[in-house]
Amino acid sequence: MKPKVFISYAWTSSEYQQSVVDFVNRLRNDGVDTLFDKFNLKPGQNKHAFMQESVNNPEVTFVLIFCNPEYKRKADNYEGGVGEEAQILSPELYSNISSDRFIPILYDSSGDKECIPTFLKGRIYIDLSDGQKFEANYEGLLRHIFNKPAFHEARLGQMPDYLSDESSDYSRLRQYLSNLRKMPSTEIGRIKNLSLAFIEEYISVISEFLIDSEQFNLQWYLSKIDKMLIPRDISVSFLQELMNVNPAIALEFFEKIIEDVSALPGANRVEHREHFDFHVWEFILISTHLFWKNGYYAEIRHYSTKTYFWAVDSEYARPEAFYEFRPTFREMTGLFNAENAHNNPYYSYAAEIVDKHQKPRGIELKDMVFADILLMYTSASTKQEWYPLLWPYVKNIGIMYGNIQSREFCNRYQILFGLSTIEEFKTFIDQVDGKLQSWFFHFGRRSFLISDVFSLDFIGRYP
């Protein structure tokens, strides 16, 4: 049912009355039903009864009271029709002081804010007296009438975990993030030093989670993963801020974090550390989404195809390919299978955790799924194997890959894969997808590759 308003105003000059008529007609054109004496009060009808019935009409959602100096004078002195309306409205207002049904409208070109009558004092008014602000304030009135606010209150969340987490101190990480946000983008040297300080503190914090346990189960893993959400989100925010400042520094930051984490003393020898692997893997997926979203395609290719060096001891660093950062999570998956009588050798419990647990603000599951698929393609281009654990959550495949029939859009993939032309891109897809099809044959021909959705002729067919 359309909202209905009752119009209360003072009969002053004929020009003023016409302006109110025009305003009421605009309300009606915008879908607001009205009760207005010029339209609804006929000769022979009782004027007092019309006012009384209009105010008390249950279909009337709001009473709009057009205020100008003449309205205030008559209302305060109970003169004429306005005085009668004031006597009708006052008891309604005073008996329900919290009601927002009665809306004062400043409707006088003089802009006199003192024209609100006494019985409406303290009520929030809408100012339609200023020509420069009229349209914006009129929209605000319509939004209130239709209950379509311009601003939406966020859902009440939970207390931040760090307020009750006494086991770790993340204050320095937050301080570094705050400092970065305040630092001028021209201070490249200071930004680099701040990034290094952040990584040093981050490594110190993360190392607390490398403690082994003689008694562990699936819940033990989940509790560790949950506790690591806070440093994950702070580091993601720091990376995003760096991208806003300088993508080259952001790339250095990302690569150093994942390499330094792997170089932690004993990091590759501690048993039951898959919660730690999960944290790094998830950070990589989120970061890849951010690099892609911000248009840093060459940066993704750089970090996903380079060689990393993991510390084995103080004298030797073992070279490793990027795909080594994507663990198999056999231990967690085995525990889940044992507890749930689940026996799918290609299922990963880590993917289910990503689906169910908290993600950084602005990041959705589909973003991480696409990042996982992108890394599968970049690794395949260098004869590596990044197994996309999130493949069961692929949805809307055509939308996921984007407007791939556009040559301009395909340029993103060409940069990502180090290609120069559309024809090279088509050849790349043909060769890599052929390899991946045989690789994923045991999925029961689950189709989520580019060639599963688009024919080669379809790719880049339009400018």
Side-chain angles (χ1 to χ4, degrees):
M1 186 173 65
K2 293 183 180 297
K4 180 181 286 189
V5 300
F6 171 59
I7 306 297
S8 175
Y9 71 110
W11 286 16
T12 54
S13 66
S14 58
E15 292 80 11
Y16 182 79
Q17 292 182 54
Q18 184 60 50
S19 71
V20 176
V21 169
D22 293 342
F23 184 86
V24 172
N25 278 329
R26 181 170 179 180
L27 284 176
R28 295 187 63 79
N29 287 334
D30 287 330
V32 181
D33 198 3
T34 58
L35 279 176
F36 180 45
D37 62 354
K38 294 292 188 185
F39 302 155
N40 304 106
L41 183 59
K42 309 301 181 186
Q45 288 183 308
N46 187 303
K47 180 175 64 174
H48 183 84
F50 171 75
M51 289 185 245
Q52 183 78 51
E53 290 170 3
S54 296
V55 170
N56 295 324
N57 187 335
E59 294 182 359
V60 171
T61 48
F62 296 101
V63 177
L64 305 186
I65 305 167
F66 285 67
C67 301
N68 64 6
E70 184 66 8
Y71 190 98
K72 172 179 170 58
R73 186 186 67 78
K74 289 184 176 181
D76 288 350
N77 294 294
Y78 297 106
E79 291 182 10
V82 170
E84 292 180 22
E85 287 183 6
Q87 293 182 64
I88 294 170
L89 294 172
S90 295
E92 293 284 335
L93 286 163
Y94 295 136
S95 64
N96 190 2
I97 196 70
S98 63
S99 173
D100 66 348
R101 187 167 178 253
F102 303 92
I103 305 175
I105 307 290
L106 288 189
Y107 200 71
D108 182 78
S109 58
S110 68
D112 184 3
K113 305 301 189 291
E114 300 301 321
C115 63
I116 305 291
T118 301
F119 76 95
L120 289 172
K121 287 292 186 182
R123 297 272 165 179
I124 302 297
Y125 60 82
I126 293 180
D127 188 356
L128 298 179
S129 65
D130 186 342
Q132 293 184 340
K133 300 178 180 178
F134 180 90
E135 291 300 329
N137 291 346
Y138 176 73
E139 180 185 329
L141 173 63
L142 283 182
R143 286 185 174 279
H144 184 65
I145 291 173
F146 284 101
N147 192 27
K148 297 293 182 181
F151 304 99
H152 298 277
E153 185 178 25
R155 178 182 60 83
L156 186 63
Q158 301 296 322
M159 178 186 72
D161 292 340
Y162 64 84
L163 294 180
S164 57
D165 184 1
E166 300 178 357
S167 60
S168 300
D169 179 12
Y170 307 119
S171 59
R172 293 185 68 181
L173 289 178
R174 289 194 178 86
Q175 186 60 56
Y176 290 142
L177 175 58
S178 177
N179 292 347
L180 177 62
R181 287 169 172 164
K182 298 173 185 177
M183 193 170 292
S185 59
T186 54
E187 298 283 349
I188 301 300
R190 292 179 60 199
I191 292 172
K192 286 186 175 182
N193 289 336
L194 184 62
S195 299
L196 293 175
F198 182 96
I199 292 175
E200 183 179 353
E201 177 64 17
Y202 173 81
I203 295 298
S204 175
V205 168
I206 291 298
S207 63
E208 299 176 12
F209 299 99
L210 281 173
I211 301 172
D212 199 359
S213 172
E214 294 182 359
Q215 296 182 347
F216 73 100
N217 52 30
L218 194 57
Q219 191 56 44
W220 181 85
Y221 276 126
L222 295 178
S223 66
K224 292 285 187 182
I225 289 172
D226 286 344
K227 287 181 179 294
M228 298 171 80
L229 289 176
I230 299 172
R232 180 205 68 182
D233 289 353
I234 300 173
S235 60
V236 166
S237 296
F238 197 92
L239 177 63
Q240 179 63 79
E241 292 296 328
L242 286 177
M243 288 184 189
N244 297 337
V245 175
N246 189 305
I249 299 178
L251 176 62
E252 291 175 5
F253 173 83
F254 170 78
E255 292 179 339
K256 185 166 179 57
I257 271 195
I258 61 176
E259 194 164 46
D260 284 8
V261 166
S262 69
L264 281 169
N268 294 299
R269 293 189 292 273
V270 177
E271 295 180 357
H272 319 318
R273 62 179 295 273
E274 287 189 355
H275 58 290
F276 186 76
D277 296 334
F278 181 93
H279 175 81
V280 177
W281 169 66
E282 190 179 41
F283 176 70
I284 289 174
L285 294 182
I286 294 169
S287 300
T288 298
H289 162 69
L290 293 177
F291 277 108
W292 177 265
K293 176 184 176 183
N294 286 279
Y296 300 135
Y297 317 120
E299 284 74 8
I300 298 176
R301 175 169 177 78
H302 185 276
Y303 69 69
S304 63
T305 57
K306 68 173 287 187
T307 300
Y308 294 82
F309 293 90
W310 292 8
V312 176
D313 52 43
S314 59
E315 299 179 356
Y316 173 66
R318 184 178 72 237
E320 293 288 357
F322 177 77
Y323 73 89
E324 292 292 342
F325 290 108
R326 207 283 302 143
T328 58
F329 301 109
R330 290 191 180 94
E331 203 164 77
M332 284 198 298
T333 300
L335 287 169
F336 175 81
N337 289 343
E339 294 183 12
N340 295 274
H342 196 289
N343 192 27
N344 183 347
Y346 309 115
Y347 169 84
S348 173
Y349 183 59
E352 186 170 324
I353 299 174
V354 171
D355 177 37
K356 292 182 177 179
H357 83 158
Q358 177 184 336
K359 299 166 186 62
R361 183 177 300 175
I363 305 293
E364 300 181 31
L365 176 64
K366 64 182 180 64
D367 302 323
M368 299 176 66
V369 171
F370 184 52
D372 210 12
I373 299 299
L374 284 180
L375 294 176
M376 172 193 72
Y377 270 108
T378 57
S379 66
S381 70
T382 56
K383 297 181 173 55
Q384 300 179 24
E385 294 184 352
W386 178 281
Y387 183 93
L389 295 180
L390 297 184
W391 71 265
Y393 296 95
V394 171
K395 295 180 180 178
N396 302 318
I397 308 172
I399 296 175
M400 180 182 73
Y401 285 117
N403 190 19
I404 208 166
Q405 60 183 320
S406 162
R407 289 195 292 274
E408 181 180 0
F409 189 88
C410 285
N411 187 56
R412 305 178 187 185
Y413 288 108
Q414 290 171 222
I415 296 172
L416 177 66
F417 301 133
L419 307 172
S420 300
T421 66
I422 287 292
E423 292 306 315
E424 287 182 2
F425 180 41
K426 291 180 180 179
T427 301
F428 171 84
I429 293 301
D430 187 39
Q431 294 175 351
V432 171
D433 278 12
K435 171 186 175 182
L436 293 174
Q437 282 284 11
S438 61
W439 189 21
F440 292 120
F441 181 77
H442 53 259
F443 284 171
R445 302 193 66 78
R446 170 84 182 194
S447 298
F448 56 83
L449 304 177
I450 292 178
S451 60
D452 291 329
V453 188
F454 308 105
S455 68
L456 294 180
D457 292 338
F458 188 79
I459 296 174
R461 66 191 300 183
Y462 298 111

